[in-house]
């Protein structure tokens, strides 16, 4: 069986003058208030819902009725939105 030929082509090397910019190095770390606010919103949302259910829908605001659920879950969703910005 004949011997295969040796490759004479050079190995590819990427050009050095064109480099992608690293966006992560230019980003600043998150401010200190961001995780504190996010945790506070989670605790406030859970607290709101617990009070609403344990008081048999009389508290925190009786006139709002089921909108109390929207307030509690809205606070938790807002905390998730904040945490998505955390670096």
């Amino acid at each position: 069986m004949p011997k295969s030929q040796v490759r004479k082509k050079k190995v590819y090397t990427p050009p050095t003058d064109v480099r992608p910019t690293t966006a992560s190095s230019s980003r600043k770390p998150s401010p200190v208030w961001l995780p504190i606010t996010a945790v506070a919103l989670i605790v406030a949302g859970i607290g709101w819902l617990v009070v609403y259910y344990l008081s048999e829908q009389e508290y925190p605001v009786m006139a709002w009725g089921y909108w109390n659920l929207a307030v509690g879950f809205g606070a938790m969703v807002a905390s998730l939105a904040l945490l998505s910005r955390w670096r």
Side-chain angles (χ1 to χ4, degrees):
M1 180 161 229
K3 185 178 176 185
S4 62
Q5 294 182 353
V6 178
R7 185 175 180 176
K8 296 177 183 176
K9 196 174 185 181
K10 289 185 179 180
V11 177
Y12 174 76
T13 56
T16 58
D17 58 340
V18 181
R19 290 190 182 190
T21 58
T22 56
S24 62
S25 64
S26 64
R27 288 180 150 181
K28 292 182 181 178
S30 298
V32 175
W33 62 266
L34 194 135
I36 295 170
T37 306
V39 170
L41 280 172
I42 289 173
V43 170
I46 291 172
W48 191 283
L49 293 175
V50 167
V51 168
Y52 177 69
Y53 277 114
L54 291 181
S55 68
E56 296 177 357
Q57 291 124 13
E58 288 185 26
Y59 299 107
V61 182
M62 186 176 179
W64 288 357
Y66 287 112
W67 283 103
N68 284 305
L69 295 174
V71 171
F73 285 116
M76 289 188 285
V77 169
S79 72
L80 289 175
L82 278 177
L83 287 175
S84 69
R85 301 251 181 209
W86 189 21
R87 283 182 242 121

